[in-house]
């Protein structure tokens, strides 16, 4: 094996786009649909889609427990949009009974940017990802996106919205091997987020070799 294996949770959502972005960054990609699929992965991406549907499917396919165990065991996981919701320890505006995998010590508000706006692009301040006023800006696509309304002490803020009414809102975070963005880098063609996640995956992968 010459590169880490990254799983993409393939129950629902933009699985294909994440798979392509990861492959473009040099990862071997496998689709994860059953608990046994987790055995071969060095990292996992939770795609965007609909977190309430994914929650139901995770429970139906008996993946919720194994995923919680893997996160607790230190598996690197990156969640985008609905995937960010799935990684959050606490959610606001979830549907009744909605569960998450958890692991990220954050509160995430679903559909926080307002239901009237389905999809838009924003410029971000993201110095930790090599984006800021002097650097090429990170342009992020948001689709019925959440934001992070509260972070625990171990959480590093990676990006905030730089302009407009949502300026200052937290939209990308990292905590240990977990990373999450409210936006969709897999459809903007900017691979900085996937590369940053793969750097985390590769560190763990190399340590096991
Ligand atoms: N609003 C969706 C949810 O609650 C997330 C949207 C997305 O992933 N693009 O799951």
């Amino acid at each position: 094996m010459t590169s880490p294996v990254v799983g993409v949770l393939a129950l629902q959502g933009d699985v294909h786009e994440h798979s392509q972005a990861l492959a473009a960054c040099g990862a071997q990609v496998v689709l994860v649909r059953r608990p046994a699929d987790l055995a071969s992965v060095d990292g996992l991406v939770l795609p965007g889609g609909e977190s309430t549907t994914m929650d139901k499917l995770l429970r139906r396919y008996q993946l919720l427990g194994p995923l919680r165990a893997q996160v607790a065991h230190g598996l690197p996981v990156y969640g985008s949009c609905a995937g960010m919701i799935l990684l959050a320890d606490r959610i606001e505006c979830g549907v009744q009974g909605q569960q998450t995998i958890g692991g990220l010590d954050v509160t995430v508000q679903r559909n926080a940017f307002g239901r009237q706006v389905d999809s838009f692009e924003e410029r971000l301040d993201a110095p930790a990802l090599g984006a800021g006023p002097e650097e090429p800006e990170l342009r992020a696509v948001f689709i019925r996106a959440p934001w992070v309304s509260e972070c625990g002490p171990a959480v590093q803020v990676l990006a905030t919205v730089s302009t407009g009414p949502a300026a200052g809102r937290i939209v990308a975070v990292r905590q240990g091997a977990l990373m999450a963005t409210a936006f969709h880098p897999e459809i903007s063609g900017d691979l900085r987020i996937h590369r940053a996640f793969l750097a985390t995956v590769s560190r763990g992968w190399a340590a096991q070799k």
Side-chain angles (χ1 to χ4, degrees), residues 19-108:
S19 302
Q20 284 198 318
L22 289 165
C25 295
Q28 299 183 66
V29 180
V30 298
L31 301 185
V32 171
R33 294 200 177 90
R34 298 166 304 141
D37 298 331
L38 288 170
S40 65
V41 304
D42 303 301
L44 180 69
V45 170
L46 307 174
E50 176 50 52
S51 61
T52 55
T53 306
M54 286 196 215
D55 169 33
K56 286 188 191 132
L57 293 173
L58 284 173
R59 287 191 253 172
R60 183 176 306 164
Y61 292 100
Q62 292 171 346
L63 271 161
L64 194 56
L67 279 172
R68 284 179 174 155
Q70 291 286 341
V71 167
H73 195 246
L75 180 74
V77 183
Y78 162 51
S80 82
C81 203
M84 172 188 253
I85 297 168
L86 288 177
L87 274 183
D89 281 344
R90 297 168 296 280
I91 49 176
E92 294 169 335
C93 306
V95 300
Q96 201 179 6
Q98 183 172 354
Q99 293 187 29
T100 68
I101 299 164
L104 264 183
D105 183 12
V106 296
T107 304
V108 162

Side-chain angles (χ1 to χ4, degrees), residues 170-182:
I170 298 168
V171 290
V173 291
R174 171 154 52 199
Q175 180 188 336
L178 304 179
M179 212 175 130
T181 65

